[in-house]
Amino acid sequence: QVQLVESGGGLVQAGGSLRLSCAASGRTFSSYSMGWFRQAPGKEREIVAAISWSGGNTYYEDSVKGRFTISRDNAKNTVYLQMNSLKPEDTAVYYCAADQNYRAVVAGANGYWGQGTQVTVSS
């Protein structure tokens, strides 16, 4: 079992930055690939970024490339999403997710999900 708790969301002006954190329970965190997803009102949940268990592979949705960075610290059981140059269209609830299969993470077929953290970007 893996439990995921997100933090770091909030209200920020366009052009600003936020760093989301996702703390995972369990001693096998380092064997899980991780992802960040988001869901805006009236829209389907979409992947934002993913990272393999070792950190050697990463994936980014096109609209966030060059602005967002996913990283992980296996010693702290934590995955991060650094978000720079935020835009109003980045406003959404952001979810952390985990699965032992990297491709499953990218496909959104994750075994474990967090409760989400709200990110609001004002114009």
Side-chain angles (χ1 to χ4, degrees), residues 64-82:
V64 307
K65 285 180 180 177
R67 300 189 297 124
F68 291 10
T69 302
I70 189 171
S71 61
R72 66 188 297 158
D73 185 339
N74 286 345
K76 295 183 178 180
N77 281 13
T78 303
V79 63
Y80 305 97
L81 185 68
Q82 178 67 43

Side-chain angles (χ1 to χ4, degrees), residues 28-43:
T28 59
F29 172 77
S30 60
S31 68
Y32 283 81
S33 292
M34 305 293 295
W36 285 99
F37 294 74
R38 66 186 179 188
Q39 187 167 19
K43 294 187 177 181

